Amino acid sequence: MGGGARLLGASSLLLALACAQPAATPGVVQINARDIPERIPGPMSGFGPFDTYSDALISACSMMLKQPHATAGRKSDMNFRLRWDLSQEYCAWIYYTPDERFEMSMMSVTTIQDARGKRSCRLPPKVDDARYPPESLGYVYLLHTHPYEGELTEQDIRYIVTMGLEHGWEVKTKAGMLRLSLVAFFSASNDLANPTCDGFFQYTPASGDLSKWTQERNQWRRQSIGSVTWIDAQHYRIDRH
């Protein structure tokens, strides 16, 4: 998935390269972008399971944004350039199990970035949860973090469509049908030790809906950004509201 911000300054880039290899983090799998594995382990230790997708989604937001260098804070802050250079994106699946509960996979992080000016992570297409047959899992949310409040990128949109073609566009749950979605969490906090989950961008291929969710006074508010229309297998347009 791609964060899409610009690198700011050659000196900061050198510092980023020097610090690019983080220490091993529990629950995080380091991914080589040139050799992406087919599966990522699940479930995530210390996460759920949850009875509702909303509880799973909000808990995942907090857990993922608290990972090392997952957020760079606000772009207006004087330290943003350094924080951006050190930032990492994290990816994970939220999936539905035969026990009718929602789990999260381990998180993936790609330490070597393949495009200047962007942050991205690579997520294996399937979850390996030894408790269940592979075909019994339902893929509900493809999650990733953005280092700041940046919209979804072309890479984001294309990858979730690829996953929909592989897994299907909907999952049957005890609460009804849920549509596969791409979610990008962000924090507006400059407290990197305790970042807040302030919102997320969401794209649902089955409906084409592109939206932004923000949290204010413990209430979640949805703003429709627009809709994605696929012209053919390779091209799409975004009609903004």
Side-chain angles (χ1 to χ4, degrees), residues 50 80 94 126 185 205:
F50 291 94
F80 178 79
I94 284 183
K126 298 178 182 178
F185 298 126

Side-chain angles (χ1 to χ4, degrees), residues 79 116 180 190 202 225 230-231:
N79 294 318
R116 291 190 62 184
L180 174 72
N190 278 323
Q202 182 178 19
I225 297 175
W230 286 88
I231 301 169

